[in-house]
Amino acid sequence: MKIGCPTEIKPQEFRVGLTPNAAREAVAHGHEVVVQAGAGKGAGFEDADYVDAGAAILDTAEDIFATADMIVKVKEPQAGERKMLREGQLLFTYLHLAPDPDQTRDLMESGCTAIAYETVTDRNGGLPLLAPMSEVAGRLAPQVGAWTLQKANGGRGVLMGGVPGVGPARVMVIGGGVVGTHAARIAAGMGADVTVLDRSLPRLRYLDDVFGGTFKTSYASAGNTIDLAREADIVIGAVLIPGAAAPKLISRAQLSEMKPGAALVDVAIDQGGCFETSKATTHQDPVYEVDGIMHYCVANMPGAVARTSTIALGNATMPFMLNLADKGWKQACLDDPHLMEGLNVHAGKLTYYAVGKALGIDVTSPQVILRG
Ligand SMILES: NC(=O)c1ccc[n+]([C@@H]2O[C@H](COP(=O)([O-])OP(=O)(O)OC[C@H]3O[C@@H](n4cnc5c(N)ncnc54)[C@H](O)[C@@H]3O)[C@@H](O)[C@H]2O)c1
């Protein structure tokens, strides 16, 4: 198969869909890999790294889309890219179609087969191609929280680990899933006094069993939430209710009960945010203040560490990408029901129920497509 990787063109996107290592493996499997000139630059990969891996460099995105059987990307195709997709071509990338009727229509009209990273599942009910980005955002959250706490950045001027004779920062993490667990581990590693809140008792039990000596746990009742928020230097919002907007867990009125200069880091901002006063910010201008409380609400946190994020995403996507290339998408999906969950669009038909429901479009089941 000919696998093509164009340069990402969405603003502020520095990741790349294929790492040189992934290209090398694809070539070793007998496939041809073409990469757009400069595609890896934002993540610290030179064209020469891809050439060393056995890939060919093409000048333009048009060249890549015109020649490749499978396009591997990071972000959903932008309008100009969608025009270049063609019937029978395979697209493997994040899509997030439910809130995006224009993209859904264009993908259906193109006749391509589109497999979305975010809906591929694993045998534990997890989302293996979303998890690496949650791990990155979680580990980054205490780092940006610590920066926000610095006086010059509007914070309280508190050091995460304290020093001998001066206590550490108090960090509260709401939501103990992938983001929350990684955030808590890093915050504790920086020496902070960390408490994780969740509404799931099984999850709290797991966290207590595994990390009991590293951080504390608390049930996320409204009362516990405000009690801990009053004492917190940093509150990290990491909740997720799948398919729903994030619940608002700290109201504007409650900000006045918190310590002036405390920092809210709302990782759940991509689901609308879990603090009433959250609004999405960018890496250029990440922090703003409301009622004396600093807010960090960057919706694509992994973009700040594009190299780590690219490699982490590549590690997760590579086995699927190789299967798609080795077997063709149809056989790969027949052999792996978790990959089949990723099928969102095929030959003009929408194949993912939640997207159809959100956009009012008829859906054809992937099983029907695969039998056809
Ligand atoms: N901003 C970014 O760049 C970025 C990057 C990655 C992930 N995210 C977002 O981070 C959020 C968390 O993702 P995740 O992968 O950790 O999800 P996850 O499903 O692994 O964990 C979510 C946790 O929240 C808990 N929860 C749900 N409602 C709660 C409530 N009311 N109070 C306390 N806990 C509650 C759940 O029990 C679960 O343990 C999601 O909104 C995700 O989209 C954002």
Side-chain angles (χ1 to χ4, degrees):
M1 197 183 264
K2 202 175 219 184
I3 303 167
C5 176
T7 306
E8 293 295 319
I9 56 171
K10 194 166 181 181
Q12 295 303 310
E13 183 53 68
F14 300 105
R15 289 172 292 177
V16 60
L18 267 188
T19 60
N21 273 342
R24 190 182 302 278
E25 298 239 2
V27 170
H29 279 231
H31 305 293
E32 207 179 316
V33 177
V34 290
V35 177
Q36 189 179 343
K41 208 164 184 55
F45 299 118
E46 300 300 330
D47 290 349
D49 298 329
Y50 289 99
V51 172
D52 281 351
I57 303 295
L58 301 182
D59 283 340
T60 66
E62 284 79 4
D63 297 335
I64 301 284
F65 278 83
T67 180
D69 304 308
M70 167 162 60
I71 300 285
V72 181
K73 272 176 56 57
V74 179
K75 281 296 190 187
E76 71 280 5
Q78 305 298 291
E81 294 174 315
R82 300 194 301 254
K83 288 202 186 83
M84 295 189 273
L85 286 165
R86 61 186 144 76
E87 200 173 332
Q89 201 166 35
L90 179 59
L91 173 66
F92 190 42
T93 190
Y94 287 120
L95 292 176
H96 297 287
L97 291 181
D100 196 345
D102 291 349
Q103 188 200 168
T104 306
R105 185 202 54 225
D106 288 354
L107 290 185
M108 290 170 72
E109 281 176 12
S110 74
C112 78
T113 299
I115 297 185
Y117 291 165
E118 71 275 7
T119 64
V120 173
T121 54
D122 64 22
R123 70 178 63 161
N124 306 315
L127 301 169
L129 303 188
L130 268 189
M133 295 305 100
S134 287
E135 290 165 356
V136 169
R139 288 185 177 216
L140 194 54
Q143 193 172 313
V144 298
W147 181 86
T148 307
L149 269 190
Q150 291 174 30
K151 203 70 197 162
N153 301 323
R156 298 191 71 224
V158 170
L159 184 63
M160 286 292 264
V163 288
V166 183
R170 288 198 180 158
V171 176
M172 153 185 192
V173 181
I174 314 180
V178 181
V179 169
T181 306
H182 284 267
R185 282 182 58 193
I186 294 297
M190 292 167 94
D193 173 357
V194 183
T195 305
V196 178
L197 293 87
D198 205 291
R199 289 229 159 196
S200 158
L201 281 177
R203 187 67 192 170
L204 290 174
R205 280 190 195 107
Y206 165 82
L207 292 174
D208 184 70
D209 276 351
V210 178
F211 300 106
T214 310
F215 51 77
K216 291 166 270 188
T217 59
S218 175
Y219 187 73
S221 62
N224 283 344
T225 302
I226 186 59
D227 283 350
L228 283 161
R230 280 192 201 103
E231 299 301 317
D233 297 294
I234 299 178
V235 183
I236 295 172
V239 300
L240 177 65
I241 301 176
K248 304 294 177 216
L249 301 174
I250 295 183
S251 68
R252 176 156 193 173
Q254 289 172 328
L255 296 187
S256 61
E257 299 182 45
M258 294 178 62
K259 298 182 197 169
L264 299 181
V265 178
D266 200 343
V267 186
I269 190 65
D270 61 339
Q271 301 293 327
C274 59
F275 310 125
E276 189 187 352
T277 41
S278 295
K279 60 176 173 29
T281 58
T282 62
H283 291 296
Q284 268 66 46
D285 194 9
V287 175
Y288 64 95
E289 178 255 317
V290 179
D291 298 345
I293 304 298
M294 304 310 295
H295 292 55
Y296 175 101
C297 304
V298 173
N300 65 332
M301 291 175 68
V305 286
R307 186 173 173 86
T308 302
S309 300
T310 291
I311 298 170
L313 181 61
N315 291 343
T317 57
M318 189 165 71
F320 295 103
M321 181 271 292
L322 290 175
N323 259 336
L324 288 166
D326 290 350
K327 300 178 176 178
W329 71 269
K330 215 168 203 179
Q331 193 57 47
C333 288
L334 281 167
D335 290 352
D336 180 355
H338 299 297
L339 179 59
M340 187 180 71
E341 294 280 340
L343 188 67
N344 276 230
V345 174
H346 171 66
K349 296 192 168 73
L350 191 64
T351 55
Y352 197 78
Y353 278 101
V355 175
K357 195 169 167 215
L359 298 178
I361 300 174
D362 286 343
V363 170
T364 306
S365 119
Q367 283 87 353
V368 169
I369 303 260
L370 289 172
R371 263 188 257 121

